[in-house]
């Protein structure tokens, strides 16, 4: 058996009503082998697949104990689908011992799913034993019970690392914020006249841009020929409209319109990114220098 004297095996088991009899018989078989079983009982297949998958995903396997899962429903498919919703869970529906050997050898399957309607108990027990006994990367029916060829072995040697990365970084096309997509993959240019800032123009006329400032940066008092709207995508900033004597503290999702000609000073409390759109072409006129702005903010602190 793949568990050895140095590593104990624990099985988390559950089934829906169509697989409960199969699950109960397999749990009894596991117990006869002195394997620890956490039996979650019977529930609908949405819930039981989720419960087993969540536990197997959340357990950190130690040098002493390895935790795997066993689920059963009418076909063995539904429970495996929902168990597979969780990171680190590799559930496979296995109708034959060959299925189990291939799933363990090729994909390091750690949750086995049984069909309570189409698999005999004798076949299910043999399939379960194969699941218990087959190490990852071992010869299997898919390799014709021979060692894997070198090119496939090289692929399998890195497959666990590669599999664990799947789904962790969403592609740009599914980033939830459509404005954020404008910044993804774009090169930003430093704003030479404002230390700590960088900008990427996304439209020239009227000007729109994604702007970034590092925490602690200050925009000295300035104004523009055209008014502008902005939406904060990341971080926090404070905007003082010196013309109107207004103070606005903005966080993620906050919006602010600054009219043309209004003098405003900005301090960035965190690394901040925002989308800004002017009513015309972008320009800037400073009404104070950085030293004066810093001095004034220190007085107000």
């Amino acid at each position: 058996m793949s568990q050895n004297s140095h590593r104990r095996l624990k099985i988390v088991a559950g089934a829906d009503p169509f697989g409960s009899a199969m699950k109960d018989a397999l749990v009894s078989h596991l117990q006869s082998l002195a394997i620890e079983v956490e039996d979650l009982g019977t529930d609908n297949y949405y819930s039981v697949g989720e419960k087993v998958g969540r536990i197997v995903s959340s357990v950190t396997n130690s040098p002493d104990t390895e935790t795997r899962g066993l689920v059963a429903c009418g076909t063995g498919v539904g429970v495996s689908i929902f168990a597979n919703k969780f990171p680190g869970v590799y559930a496979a529906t296995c109708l034959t011992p060959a299925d189990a050997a291939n799933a363990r050898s090729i994909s390091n399957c750690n949750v086995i799913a049984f069909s309570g309607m189409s698999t005999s108990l004798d076949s299910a027990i043999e399939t379960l034993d194969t699941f218990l006994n087959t190490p990852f990367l071992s010869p299997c029916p898919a390799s014709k019970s021979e060692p894997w060829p070198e090119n496939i072995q090289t692929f399998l040697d890195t497959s666990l690392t590669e599999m664990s990365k799947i789904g962790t970084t969403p592609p740009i096309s599914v980033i939830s914020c459509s404005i954020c997509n404008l910044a993804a993959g774009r090169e930003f240019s430093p704003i030479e006249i404002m230390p700590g800032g960088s900008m990427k123009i996304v439209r020239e006329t009227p000007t729109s841009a994604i702007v970034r400032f590092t925490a602690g940066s200050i925009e000295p008092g300035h104004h523009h020929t055209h008014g502008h709207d902005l939406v904060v995508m990341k971080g926090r900033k404070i905007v003082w409209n010196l013309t109107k004597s207004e103070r606005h503290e903005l966080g993620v999702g906050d919006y602010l319109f600054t009219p043309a000609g209004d003098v405003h000073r900005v301090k960035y409390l965190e690394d901040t990114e925002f989308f800004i759109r002017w009513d015309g072409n972008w320009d800037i006129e400073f009404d104070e220098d950085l030293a004066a702005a810093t001095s004034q903010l220190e007085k107000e602190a």
Side-chain angles (χ1 to χ4, degrees), residues 3-75:
Q3 62 166 342
N4 56 47
S5 58
H6 302 291
R7 197 160 194 227
R8 188 166 54 93
L9 186 62
K10 176 181 176 180
I11 302 292
V12 181
D16 79 349
F18 295 100
S20 60
M22 174 71 74
K23 183 268 298 178
D24 290 343
L26 294 176
V27 165
S28 295
H29 177 67
L30 290 168
Q31 291 170 336
S32 74
L33 299 174
I35 294 174
E36 180 184 357
V37 179
E38 181 179 349
D39 189 351
L40 304 183
T42 303
D43 206 334
N44 71 66
Y45 72 82
Y46 299 100
S47 297
V48 77
E50 180 266 339
K51 289 176 181 177
V52 172
R54 186 183 299 278
I55 292 173
V56 172
S57 175
S58 65
V59 169
T60 301
N61 286 321
S62 70
D64 300 322
T65 304
E66 177 187 2
T67 300
R68 299 187 201 171
L70 183 158
V71 287
C73 66
T75 63

Side-chain angles (χ1 to χ4, degrees), residues 78-289:
V79 282
S80 67
I81 288 174
F82 291 100
N84 271 323
K85 295 288 185 179
F86 298 91
V89 173
Y90 308 117
T93 302
C94 297
L95 303 181
T96 66
D99 290 341
N102 289 333
R104 282 290 302 152
S105 174
I106 299 169
S107 301
N108 199 34
C109 168
N110 56 3
V111 175
I112 186 168
F114 288 93
S115 167
M117 298 174 64
S118 59
T119 304
S120 69
L121 179 56
D122 287 344
S123 178
I125 289 174
E126 185 181 355
T127 300
L128 177 57
D129 285 342
T130 302
F131 172 75
L132 299 174
N133 295 337
T134 305
F136 179 51
L137 301 179
S138 61
C140 63
S143 69
K144 298 181 180 178
S145 299
E146 298 290 337
W148 290 104
E150 183 178 353
N151 62 325
I152 297 179
Q153 185 65 48
T154 300
F155 163 75
L156 292 174
D157 286 342
T158 61
S159 63
L160 291 186
T161 301
E162 295 301 317
M163 287 192 296
S164 67
K165 296 177 183 178
I166 295 173
T168 59
T169 304
I172 292 174
S173 61
V174 300
I175 294 176
S176 59
C177 168
S178 58
I179 293 178
C180 302
N181 281 328
L182 294 173
R186 294 180 181 269
E187 293 293 329
F188 282 69
S189 301
I191 304 174
E192 301 294 345
I193 57 176
M194 289 188 180
S198 60
M199 179 168 67
K200 175 61 185 178
I201 301 294
V202 296
R203 186 177 64 178
E204 294 290 345
T205 305
T207 308
S208 298
I210 304 292
V211 182
R212 293 172 175 168
F213 275 92
T214 57
S217 299
I218 295 172
E219 293 184 43
H222 62 279
H223 64 277
H224 305 282
T225 301
H226 301 282
H228 60 71
D229 309 88
L230 68 82
V231 177
V232 178
M233 299 154 56
K234 172 187 174 183
R236 288 191 306 132
K237 59 188 283 189
I238 300 175
V239 179
W240 289 268
N241 186 316
L242 305 179
T243 300
K244 293 185 169 59
S245 300
E246 296 175 348
R247 178 184 184 277
H248 306 275
E249 184 166 343
L250 307 177
V252 175
D254 288 336
Y255 163 86
L256 180 67
F257 173 72
T258 301
D262 278 15
V263 179
H264 51 291
R265 180 191 300 134
V266 185
K267 181 172 183 179
Y268 293 89
L269 306 179
E270 301 173 358
D271 290 348
T272 301
E273 184 172 298
F274 57 93
F275 174 77
I276 187 167
R277 184 194 68 84
W278 285 269
D279 292 335
N281 289 342
W282 176 79
D283 63 1
I284 187 169
E285 292 288 338
F286 283 103
D287 298 278
E288 63 180 359
D289 60 22

